[in-house]
Amino acid sequence: MLKPIDQLNGGSWCRSRVLRRLQEPPLPNSDGPPANPPATPSAPSGAPSAAPPRASQCAPGAPAAPGPGRRDWQPPASALAPHPDDVPPSPAPRPPPIPTLRPGGVLRGARIRPHSPPRRRGDTRLEAPSVGAVLSQGRTMKVEFAPLNIPLARRLQTAAVLQWVLSFLLLAQVCIGIIVILIIHNYWFLYVPYMTWLYFDWRTPEQGGRRSNWVRSWTVWRYFKDYFPIHLIKTWDLDPSHNYIFGFHPHGVLVAGAFGNFCTSHSDFEQLFPRFTAYLHVLPFWFRCPLFREYLMSSGPVSVSKKSVSHVLSKEGGGNISVIVLGGAEESLDAHPGKFTLFIRQRKGFVKIALTHGASLVPVFSFGENELFKQVSNPEGSWLRTVQEKLQKIMGFALPLFHARGIFQYNFGLMPYRKPIHTVVGRPIPVQQTLHPTTEQIEELHQTYMEELRKLFEAHKRKYGIPEHKTLIFK
């Protein structure tokens, strides 16, 4: 049949070739019709008319070519073969598409086949990446931005934490730079009075500090507390007629839980512990920075020196709490998410001060403190850890290489993660005052404190999502 052939290229070459073959003389042993068939006699009038000729199957409207006695005649097979000049040229093979990466991490033009045959040697065809490769590329290159329709309260919380982080990292350097500029430009009427006053006020951080209730009640600290959020949990009642030492664990990177609970008026400390005053002890280095020391003392922190702790615990009437982050700067280098390493085995000075003043020891554990930041891997013995430890011995404070989220995106930056902090205050350990404690008494009380701290952690870790196999590591 010619109909399938007629569908190629609109049938134009088919009609021309078939008509040309029909006009040629038949070949020998050919079963085709004669070249000049006799004319068909016309039917007499009144006779039934012959059947209409069969329409050509090459194209509608083409003349029929039946021979005498052959109503079902068809062209020979040779007429159906296309002439080489009439065959349309086949299009050139298209090269495979080159995959390109779209902004969303999706490869354009890549065909993912679940069962692709193995490649042969020398085969240079481009293979489409696997599903795992596409997904892994999407994970590594995707940046998750914060949505635009975030409530105003959350924006203010981010701004409050941002100013706190920048104050911790840069404000001391800025204040020192201001003093240097005043000296260089000889603004003596500004820096001379301040330096004179600083000379007489140098011991204030060791004598209870100079807190300001107005600064502690700033609204910015309420947004700071709600950013994580920060919670304070009491497990035991304390006697306001006694003084206490709160051993705060762990240090974390920036000690956000200790600052939010004990240096602002927006925490639950005043409701849970009425008639008590908390003093957060920090490194003496911060009180040697001019101007910055005034801002820091206004929130309530004091020096962590022995003289400063003794001053707080020797106040008459009781109701004073010395909050000491016992791990110190060294512990911040191990503040990795999911780790609970505490540097406490060699920290026995607070035990001796507690025995000297008869102050009860209270273990405090802040769940979630180590989850706020990530750090560059610095295992013990690595070159990075060695450099950090040397700088910590020289300067007095550590330099952890931390990172977390950003202001407008969630993948990288110096903003802490929004992870809840639950600071749990444990059971007080009564201490009998001993003016000259022996080494055995210090060691016994130190061991008792570590046991109570471990019990506090084990009793509350399930409430705050810590796996059962996790435990404290004392160093």
Side-chain angles (χ1 to χ4, degrees):
M1 303 297 290
L2 298 181
K3 189 172 182 180
I5 304 177
D6 183 50
Q7 295 177 355
L8 299 176
N9 295 331
S12 59
W13 66 272
C14 178
R15 289 195 303 269
S16 61
R17 186 59 186 164
V18 171
L19 293 178
R20 188 163 55 250
R21 289 295 180 92
L22 292 178
Q23 294 175 1
E24 295 177 356
L27 299 176
N29 298 329
S30 170
D31 55 351
N36 296 321
T40 305
S42 60
S45 61
S49 61
R54 183 183 300 268
S56 173
Q57 298 184 12
C58 280
R70 292 189 179 186
R71 298 178 57 187
D72 297 332
W73 176 87
Q74 296 181 0
S78 60
L80 302 180
H83 194 272
D85 298 335
D86 298 331
V87 177
S90 59
R94 298 178 61 184
I98 300 177
T100 57
L101 190 61
R102 292 183 176 178
V106 181
L107 293 178
R108 178 193 300 167
R111 299 179 180 178
I112 302 175
R113 299 179 180 179
H115 304 286
S116 58
R119 293 183 61 181
R120 297 179 180 180
R121 178 177 297 180
D123 191 359
T124 58
R125 293 178 300 174
L126 180 64
E127 286 190 354
S130 62
V131 178
V134 174
L135 295 179
S136 64
Q137 280 200 357
R139 285 196 301 266
T140 56
M141 301 190 64
K142 183 178 179 181
V143 177
E144 184 180 1
F145 289 93
L148 298 177
N149 57 347
I150 289 182
L152 178 61
R154 291 178 67 88
R155 295 291 188 189
L156 294 177
Q157 293 169 6
T158 303
V161 175
L162 175 63
Q163 68 84 25
W164 177 75
V165 172
L166 295 180
S167 299
F168 192 91
L169 299 178
L170 300 176
L171 188 56
Q173 295 88 321
V174 171
C175 292
I176 295 175
I178 292 175
I179 296 298
V180 172
I181 292 174
L182 293 178
I183 295 175
I184 291 176
H185 292 277
N186 198 21
Y187 289 100
W188 60 268
F189 54 91
L190 293 178
Y191 71 82
V192 169
Y194 177 76
M195 290 298 181
T196 304
W197 178 80
L198 181 61
Y199 174 79
F200 292 101
D201 193 65
W202 190 256
R203 299 297 180 184
T204 301
E206 296 180 347
Q207 299 172 357
R210 185 172 47 251
R211 65 178 58 203
S212 171
N213 292 329
W214 175 68
V215 175
R216 290 168 58 91
S217 60
W218 281 354
T219 307
V220 67
W221 304 128
R222 176 167 60 87
Y223 288 111
F224 171 85
K225 168 182 171 291
D226 295 338
Y227 173 87
F228 301 96
I230 299 175
H231 306 279
L232 185 65
I233 296 94
K234 182 180 73 170
T235 61
W236 206 271
D237 291 331
L238 303 182
D239 188 359
S241 62
H242 289 78
N243 294 327
Y244 297 87
I245 294 180
F246 280 12
F248 188 90
H249 309 274
H251 184 283
V253 176
L254 299 182
V255 208
F259 181 86
N261 282 312
F262 306 113
C263 294
T264 69
S265 299
H266 294 281
S267 68
D268 298 329
F269 177 81
E270 296 180 358
Q271 290 77 23
L272 297 176
F273 301 96
R275 296 188 294 168
F276 277 96
T277 303
Y279 298 86
L280 178 61
H281 296 268
V282 299
L283 289 175
F285 167 81
W286 299 113
F287 300 103
R288 298 168 187 167
C289 301
L291 299 180
F292 178 76
R293 66 192 295 273
E294 322 303 335
Y295 174 72
L296 182 61
M297 280 193 295
S298 63
S299 299
V302 294
S303 176
V304 76
S305 63
K306 178 180 178 181
K307 186 181 296 185
S308 177
V309 178
S310 299
H311 177 83
V312 173
L313 298 179
S314 61
K315 288 186 176 182
E316 298 293 337
N320 300 289
I321 300 175
S322 286
V323 183
I324 306 175
V325 186
L326 297 177
E330 186 179 7
E331 190 174 281
S332 64
L333 299 178
D334 274 327
H336 295 272
K339 293 185 63 177
F340 305 96
T341 303
L342 306 181
F343 286 76
I344 190 176
R345 291 194 180 275
Q346 305 301 324
R347 310 298 172 93
K348 303 177 182 179
F350 73 102
V351 177
K352 184 177 181 179
I353 294 179
L355 287 169
T356 302
H357 295 275
S360 301
L361 294 175
V362 181
V364 178
F365 197 89
S366 189
F367 293 90
E369 192 74 39
N370 285 350
E371 311 298 324
L372 304 182
F373 295 96
K374 296 179 181 179
Q375 285 195 56
V376 178
S377 179
N378 58 342
E380 293 186 0
S382 62
W383 68 269
L384 177 59
R385 185 61 170 266
T386 303
V387 172
Q388 290 175 330
E389 291 175 350
K390 289 183 179 179
L391 292 177
Q392 189 263 330
K393 292 179 180 179
I394 295 174
M395 299 183 298
F397 59 91
L399 295 174
L401 299 181
F402 63 91
H403 60 92
R405 52 158 290 183
I407 303 174
F408 302 108
Q409 44 78 29
Y410 304 121
N411 296 85
F412 54 88
L414 298 179
M415 290 284 295
Y417 293 115
R418 284 183 179 265
K419 299 294 182 67
I421 301 175
H422 297 87
T423 304
V424 182
V425 181
R427 184 178 68 88
I429 303 172
V431 177
Q432 184 69 31
Q433 185 176 8
T434 306
L435 296 179
H436 302 285
T438 62
T439 305
E440 291 76 13
Q441 291 174 326
I442 295 175
E443 187 65 33
E444 181 182 359
L445 183 57
H446 185 263
Q447 190 67 29
T448 303
Y449 178 84
M450 289 194 299
E451 293 176 359
E452 289 294 329
L453 178 60
R454 187 182 296 276
K455 291 179 182 179
L456 177 67
F457 177 81
E458 295 293 334
H460 296 272
K461 67 179 183 180
R462 300 176 189 84
K463 299 179 183 178
Y464 307 115
I466 299 178
E468 183 68 26
H469 67 277
K470 292 287 185 177
T471 184
L472 295 181
I473 300 176
F474 295 147
K475 287 187 176 182

